[in-house]
Amino acid sequence: MSEKEFLKIAAETIVNKDATGLDQVFKEAKSTGLSQDALLAAMTKGLDAVRLRLRDHSVSIPEFLLSVDVLRRGLNKLKLLKSPKKSSGKPVTIVIGVVEGDVHDLGKNIVTGVLQAYGYHVIDLGKDVSADRFLEKVKESRAAILALSTMMSTPLEHMRETVVRCKRELPEVAVIVGGAVLDQTIADNFGADGYAESAVTLPEEVRRIRGTSSISNLIEKD
Amino acid sequence: MALGKIVKSLRAGKLPPLREVPRPLLKTLATFAQVRGKFTRLSAVERVLTTFMHKEPDRIPVTPLVGAAGRNINGISFPEFSQDAEKAAEVFLSSYEFLGGDIVILMLDLSIEAADFGQDMIFPENSTAYPDHTNPVIKEIADYRRFEPVRLSESKRMKEFVRMCGLIVDRIGFRSMVTGFVFGPLGVLSMMRGAERLFKDCLNYKKDVIRACETITETLLEYVQAQCDTGVPAVTIDTLYASWNGLSKKLWEEIEGPFAREICNLIKRNKRVTAIHNCGHGIYFDSQIKFMEPDAISFAHLPDDCKTEQELKEKYGSRVTLVGYVQTPLLVHGTPRQVMDECRRQIDVFGKGGGFILAPGCEYPPNIPLTNALAMVKAAQQNS
């Protein structure tokens, strides 16, 4: 089997939500001497394909979640989740969480998986997170991006307060917001740098904010 | 026609179940109301009936879908609203009297049923009640088959909700149409498992999820029957996951569809109006109509098979009454003028030929002033 065919199979394991298949790929990769970067690129390509199918609704959220799980499994095998390394410098860190007053974390969890899949170092603070906690963690981790989520209208004031405080206290940090009750206008009104309608559009929005050409933090796309 | 039942309801000062009245007679009544509406103001019930029969009333009916947002009228707290039937009834009644509107939808929160299945709850002072997801009832796959149906008599929150329905129906009388509310079995399950894990289980352990839906439905049927027994003329079922935000259409039809049908059939056997509320994106109108045959669908976004509002009206406007769909962000951040403009626009798009009730796409945001709810009611009243 050629390297190209092998990597195609790696990508397909993500598309097909095939954890066993991925395990087999990793097992064989050892003997073929494939680089970690090549494997990661192939898996990310697979997730990209699923993400685009989620955008046109030919893939459902549960199917997408399973694909993200398989990719996470692959990332764990690559030992990237805990200490992502990039040959040309430090990885971009993103602090993410659901704002105070909201515990709906499905959207945030999907987004976290996608960001990790694209090679970002994600610090997930969970749900019902106060502005103090967000800012403390951003400072401590020297994160470049703060990502805030809410599915409810009641915590919107907490979100606004977090964005305002972050822009005032840490102006170099970009803030991106998302969630069912938000739109671009509200994001603009809050003073956020970006708005992601869903996990599908998020990588492009992060790229826009960072002013880079690649949606991945680790690999250049072909 | 069960004349006896109609007379009994009327004597009790309650609206009789609309489906007890033969359809041709309802149509005649609606036609009469339509003509009368050209010269005089109709009552809320006449207005809703006319629009349900797809005829144009004197003006578009409106419901501001105010739940917890109304608690500030009487200074009632979130926990009191969630747990005390008298207090909750007071909130809904005060909101109705303060704002007006033609339908009162009794949407309290989405955790009522799950709480009675043993799900730990959090009742915050400044927000709607929600399940404590750190301690879900369904921790592992085997748990889907472990829990038992809950009898209404042994329940706490469901029993209190039913009591609230009774209090409100008695006090609203003929002034407006009151609708009960039930979360679909898959929704209840998501409160007991967490949505993310449930979604994956739907694919990997479908039979276990279906078994749990069966258990939950047994309880929901008793719950819905009790709501009907209080005299509510309509019951709304929330099937959120029949949308792009939930399962694929095929999977929803396999898992929740049959149970949703069973619940709706019970509502129909009680001769009540059946409504669906689904505030998801790209909701499956076709599947939900196939399984539930509702009289009305309350929606927040265009369905998956319609690209425009006009297409939605054309495709489904004559089959169901459309209820919606003022967006939550507009209610939170828009001025009353902007809200009224949007309401007028929607009335222009959906109102022709009846079959449209103006409403927010989802519950009126609980922590904002009632100004924009008033703006919605005002917009409908001015658009006669």
Side-chain angles (χ1 to χ4, degrees):
Chain A
M1 191 190 300
S2 71
E3 186 181 313
K4 199 176 169 187
E5 282 170 333
F6 189 78
L7 291 174
K8 194 180 165 204
I9 292 172
E12 279 169 359
T13 61
I14 306 298
V15 175
N16 298 330
K17 313 170 280 292
D18 180 6
T20 319
L22 187 77
D23 289 349
Q24 189 62 30
V25 163
F26 271 87
K27 205 172 158 187
E28 288 174 25
K30 277 181 189 168
S31 56
T32 56
L34 264 178
S35 73
Q36 287 201 348
D37 277 0
L39 264 178
L40 179 62
M43 290 192 301
T44 310
K45 200 171 174 181
L47 189 71
D48 253 346
V50 186
R51 196 168 61 89
L52 294 177
R53 287 169 68 182
L54 181 67
R55 181 160 65 191
D56 69 20
H57 308 292
S58 56
V59 151
S60 66
I61 288 179
E63 290 167 306
F64 182 72
L65 288 169
L66 289 183
S67 285
V68 169
D69 275 359
V70 175
L71 188 130
R72 276 177 168 160
R73 187 183 178 93
L75 291 181
N76 274 326
K77 283 181 183 290
L78 289 172
K79 298 189 188 311
L80 282 169
L81 275 178
K82 284 182 181 167
S83 55
K85 293 277 185 291
K86 189 183 176 186
S87 51
S88 56
K90 280 182 73 177
V92 171
T93 297
I94 300 179
V95 170
I96 192 168
V98 177
V99 298
E100 189 174 353
D102 192 355
V103 292
H104 298 88
D105 59 356
L106 174 63
K108 185 266 298 167
N109 291 345
I110 296 174
V111 162
T112 301
V114 169
L115 289 172
Q116 286 172 335
Y118 285 103
Y120 292 97
H121 178 220
V122 185
I123 299 174
D124 183 355
L125 297 183
K127 51 204 174 192
D128 197 18
V129 182
S130 69
D132 285 342
R133 174 101 179 98
F134 273 123
L135 297 189
E136 185 188 310
K137 202 68 195 174
V138 169
K139 280 178 202 164
E140 183 193 307
S141 63
R142 298 188 177 182
I145 297 173
L146 172 62
L148 306 172
S149 162
T150 182
M151 294 297 286
M152 296 166 70
S153 59
T154 40
L156 277 174
E157 191 48 35
H158 292 299
M159 181 180 268
R160 193 193 62 78
E161 183 203 334
T162 310
V163 176
V164 168
R165 280 188 55 194
C166 186
K167 297 314 290 178
R168 192 174 58 221
E169 295 172 32
L170 302 160
E172 72 283 5
V173 175
V175 184
I176 189 163
V177 295
V181 294
L182 291 149
D183 57 19
Q184 185 66 57
T185 313
I186 296 175
D188 292 344
N189 287 343
F190 284 178
D193 301 280
Y195 162 68
E197 192 188 1
S198 67
V200 175
T201 58
L202 180 80
E204 278 83 7
E205 188 65 352
V206 173
R207 174 180 60 181
R208 188 188 66 75
I209 288 173
R210 293 178 59 215
T212 59
S213 59
S214 170
I215 56 173
S216 169
N217 187 39
L218 283 173
I219 352 149
E220 291 300 323
K221 309 294 292 176
D222 2 80
Chain B
M1 173 168 39
L3 196 60
K5 284 185 184 170
I6 294 173
V7 172
K8 194 179 163 195
S9 291
L10 292 171
R11 275 193 176 160
K14 294 175 184 175
L15 212 55
L18 282 182
R19 281 171 175 268
E20 288 288 4
V21 184
R23 202 166 168 82
L25 182 55
L26 278 180
K27 267 191 170 175
T28 308
L29 290 170
T31 307
F32 180 67
Q34 184 180 23
V35 175
R36 220 166 63 78
K38 293 189 191 306
F39 306 101
T40 184
R41 234 180 104 188
L42 299 177
S43 71
V45 173
E46 282 178 302
R47 192 171 293 125
V48 173
L49 168 68
T50 310
T51 212
F52 270 143
M53 300 312 291
H54 296 270
K55 295 184 183 302
E56 288 182 15
D58 56 338
R59 64 163 173 80
I60 294 296
V62 60
T63 174
L65 250 169
V66 169
R71 79 201 183 284
N72 286 333
I73 298 173
N74 299 321
I76 288 169
S77 70
F78 270 108
E80 287 172 329
F81 174 68
S82 303
Q83 298 173 94
D84 183 327
E86 268 93 11
K87 295 276 170 64
E90 208 179 310
V91 169
F92 281 109
L93 288 161
S94 302
S95 302
Y96 169 69
E97 274 147 22
F98 184 68
L99 297 163
D102 302 293
I103 302 183
V104 180
I105 301 179
L106 303 180
M107 197 189 284
L108 205 64
D109 63 63
L110 298 177
S111 321
I112 296 174
E113 302 88 346
D116 285 337
F117 277 102
Q119 179 58 53
D120 284 350
M121 294 292 302
I122 293 171
F123 295 97
E125 280 301 321
N126 57 356
S127 191
T128 318
Y130 59 85
D132 179 359
H133 286 302
T134 60
N135 188 23
V137 168
I138 299 166
K139 293 182 176 63
E140 54 186 41
I141 301 304
D143 290 339
Y144 280 115
R145 291 173 182 270
R146 280 192 189 124
F147 70 96
E148 297 287 322
V150 175
R151 296 272 76 86
L152 190 69
S153 55
E154 293 156 12
S155 73
K156 192 176 171 193
R157 294 203 71 203
M158 285 189 289
K159 205 159 71 178
E160 203 64 0
F161 182 84
V162 169
R163 201 158 71 82
M164 180 197 78
C165 289
L167 292 169
I168 293 172
V169 167
D170 287 348
R171 285 174 60 185
I172 291 276
F174 304 122
R175 289 183 294 163
S176 183
M177 182 180 270
V178 179
T179 154
F181 198 89
V182 62
F183 203 11
L186 213 46
V188 177
L189 214 43
S190 73
M191 295 286 168
M192 298 157 67
R193 173 69 168 154
E196 190 182 351
R197 276 170 295 185
L198 173 66
F199 285 175
K200 291 190 254 186
D201 296 343
C202 284
L203 284 174
N204 291 334
Y205 308 98
K206 193 162 63 183
K207 283 184 179 167
D208 299 273
V209 173
I210 289 174
R211 171 69 191 273
C213 283
E214 203 178 310
T215 307
I216 291 171
T217 301
E218 197 178 321
T219 296
L220 296 185
L221 289 171
E222 194 187 351
Y223 182 40
V224 165
Q225 183 59 52
Q227 289 185 37
C228 292
D229 292 344
T230 66
V232 291
V235 178
T236 300
I237 177 168
D238 189 327
T239 42
L240 174 65
Y241 298 128
S243 71
W244 286 336
N245 296 96
L247 308 186
S248 69
K249 193 176 286 190
K250 184 173 172 286
L251 198 58
W252 181 81
E253 290 191 357
E254 281 172 18
I255 296 180
E256 189 173 50
F259 298 107
R261 173 185 281 150
E262 213 179 322
I263 293 167
C264 289
N265 283 346
L266 176 68
I267 300 168
K268 284 172 204 157
R269 279 201 301 277
N270 278 278
K271 307 291 182 188
R272 264 63 182 179
V273 169
T274 311
I276 294 171
H277 173 73
N278 188 331
C279 56
H281 284 80
I283 75 171
Y284 311 142
F285 262 61
D286 52 356
S287 285
Q288 292 177 101
I289 290 172
K290 183 167 103 184
F291 278 85
M292 295 183 270
E293 298 179 79
D295 299 291
I297 298 183
S298 156
F299 63 104
H301 303 279
L302 289 178
D304 70 317
D305 55 354
C306 294
K307 286 191 170 60
T308 65
E309 294 167 337
Q310 288 75 12
E311 191 184 348
L312 166 59
K313 178 71 178 172
E314 205 172 296
K315 203 166 183 174
Y316 295 108
S318 59
R319 296 166 69 183
V320 290
T321 291
L322 303 171
V323 184
Y325 81 124
V326 179
Q327 300 297 304
T328 300
L330 179 66
L331 294 171
V332 175
H333 294 280
T335 63
R337 172 61 59 205
Q338 288 170 323
V339 171
M340 288 178 81
D341 286 347
E342 174 60 10
C343 290
R344 289 191 196 104
R345 191 193 68 76
Q346 292 191 15
I347 288 169
D348 285 347
V349 174
F350 295 114
K352 199 162 185 277
F356 177 60
I357 296 169
L358 181 68
C362 205
E363 180 194 3
Y364 188 82
N367 272 349
I368 65 168
L370 294 170
T371 331
N372 282 337
L374 268 173
M376 286 187 61
V377 175
K378 202 85 178 158
Q381 286 171 346
Q382 287 177 356
N383 241 270
S384 53

